[in-house]
Amino acid sequence: MSVAGLKKQFHKATQPSNLNRSPVRGLHSGCLSSAPALTAASSASGAASPPREKPASPGLAKELAALKSDIIQAVTSELTRALTAEFHSISRDYHSKLQTELQEMKSELLQDNASLRAELGSVVRTVSEVETSLSALSDEVVGLRARVESLSSELVRVDAKCEDLEARSRRQNIRIIGVPEGDSRFTLSNSNVSELLREALSLEKSPLVDRAHRSLAPRPKPDGPPRPIIVRLHYFEDCARILREARNRPRITFSDMNLSIYPDLTSKVAKARAAFNTIRRKLRSMDGVKYGMFYPARLRITYKGESREFTSPTEAERFISTMPG
């Protein structure tokens, strides 16, 4: 039953005409018609005191309770139906909106996925190209490494050959140290150098000099040491005899000049021999020890009839430390 129908039923039940037709109302009318005196007394008493409401009959209370229950059920049903309809409407709207947003999100994700797939495909192709290039480069590196090793060994061989050729080209050269530059007592020329060697070393005859010149170092200051004179001798025998005489003499003098004569060595050999200078000074102060440098840079030490050769200054130093002071 609807709320409007319940309202109509409630108004109909509460009309005075309906109340007069109740059983209680009929009983009161019969009593009043059969007893006029009681009615008059009741009327007089009613005029003297205010009228009182008559209690509702049990049937009316039951009907009102039933009506109230029907109204509550109808209102509850109506509210439930209205709320359910509203909920379904809101749910449909929200579902439609959510479905639209999900569809848009799905479309965006599909587009992003397609873009990412395209980029990934490009990256995969690039990586594949790089791998191919690296493979080719790796093969080239292997070939180049083998070639570098071959060229390195060839370079070592060529360097050794060049060193040997340079050393051979200097076999007939000597270096004279201690001749002042610009000294009036000595003018640099082939003949003057030849005469200097003959007189300083007491040679039987003057050696044949092909050429003589100062080293190519910058000209020193007036108070600096003079540059050595490099002499090229025509015969190797003269060069060997001059170096032998220079080793056997403790001092070489010429016109009040103290001279030193050494072989003209390459820079590599000179550095290797210079590494033994400290050891040679120690050996010079030791008694009963003989030593000598041999080409290219071999130090021979003779002690108590036993000779040993060293190419490393460290090994020579270790051997000297075992010898008595």
Side-chain angles (χ1 to χ4, degrees), residues 22-38:
S22 64
V24 178
R25 186 66 178 173
L27 180 61
H28 282 286
S29 298
C31 292
L32 289 177
S33 59
S34 59
L38 183 59

Side-chain angles (χ1 to χ4, degrees), residues 156 159-160 163 166 170 265-274 296-297:
V156 171
D159 182 67
E163 180 71 20
E166 184 180 0
R170 295 177 181 232
L265 302 173
T266 63
S267 59
K268 184 176 181 180
V269 175
K271 289 179 181 178
R273 289 196 172 196

Side-chain angles (χ1 to χ4, degrees), residues 45-225:
S45 176
S49 61
R52 281 187 277 179
E53 295 182 358
K54 297 178 180 179
S57 62
L60 180 60
K62 186 181 294 186
E63 187 175 356
L64 289 176
L67 182 61
K68 180 179 178 181
S69 177
D70 292 341
I71 290 173
I72 291 173
Q73 291 181 0
V75 170
T76 303
S77 176
E78 187 71 18
L79 288 175
T80 302
R81 186 179 58 80
L83 290 175
T84 303
E86 185 69 18
F87 174 77
H88 285 303
S89 177
I90 294 172
S91 178
R92 283 194 300 271
D93 295 341
Y94 182 76
H95 182 268
S96 177
K97 183 178 180 181
L98 182 61
Q99 188 174 8
T100 303
E101 292 179 357
L102 289 176
Q103 189 66 29
E104 294 177 355
M105 188 181 296
K106 181 179 179 181
S107 300
E108 293 178 0
L109 290 175
L110 290 176
Q111 293 177 359
D112 294 341
N113 189 22
S115 177
L116 289 175
R117 285 182 178 276
E119 293 180 3
L120 182 60
S122 177
V123 170
V124 169
R125 287 193 296 272
T126 303
V127 170
S128 178
E129 293 175 358
V130 170
E131 288 179 350
T132 304
S133 301
L134 287 177
S135 178
L137 290 175
S138 178
D139 295 339
E140 292 182 5
V141 167
V142 171
L144 290 174
R145 183 177 299 169
R147 183 164 179 80
V148 166
E149 292 176 357
S150 175
L151 291 176
S152 297
S153 60
E154 182 71 14
L155 179 61
V156 171
R157 188 184 67 81
V158 171
D159 182 67
K161 187 174 183 178
C162 290
E163 180 71 20
D164 181 69
L165 290 174
E166 184 180 0
R168 290 178 183 276
S169 68
R170 295 177 181 232
R171 289 182 64 196
Q172 297 169 214
N173 293 359
I174 60 173
R175 286 181 175 242
I176 304 175
I177 300 174
V179 179
E181 296 192 35
D183 193 341
S184 59
R185 296 173 297 174
F186 182 81
T187 302
L188 185 59
S189 65
N190 292 350
S191 59
N192 289 342
V193 170
S194 177
E195 187 65 20
L196 180 149
L197 291 172
R198 188 185 66 80
E199 293 184 11
L201 299 175
S202 301
L203 300 177
E204 295 180 0
K205 62 177 181 178
S206 299
L208 181 60
V209 175
D210 289 341
R211 59 183 178 274
H213 60 83
R214 297 278 181 179
S215 66
L216 301 180
R219 189 179 183 88
K221 296 180 180 180
D223 56 346

Side-chain angles (χ1 to χ4, degrees), residues 250-311:
R251 173 178 289 187
I252 302 174
T253 59
F254 175 77
S255 298
D256 299 331
M257 294 183 293
N258 293 323
L259 306 179
S260 299
I261 300 176
Y262 299 101
D264 184 29
L265 302 173
T266 63
S267 59
K268 184 176 181 180
V269 175
K271 289 179 181 178
R273 289 196 172 196
F276 289 94
N277 288 342
T278 303
I279 299 173
R280 293 166 68 183
R281 282 194 293 268
K282 291 181 179 180
L283 292 174
R284 196 176 297 121
S285 61
M286 299 176 67
D287 296 332
V289 178
K290 295 181 180 180
Y291 67 93
M293 289 295 300
F294 294 88
Y295 187 84
R298 292 180 293 116
L299 176 64
R300 180 181 295 175
I301 300 175
T302 303
Y303 180 68
K304 293 183 179 181
E306 182 181 356
S307 298
R308 293 189 60 179
E309 289 188 357
F310 302 93
T311 58

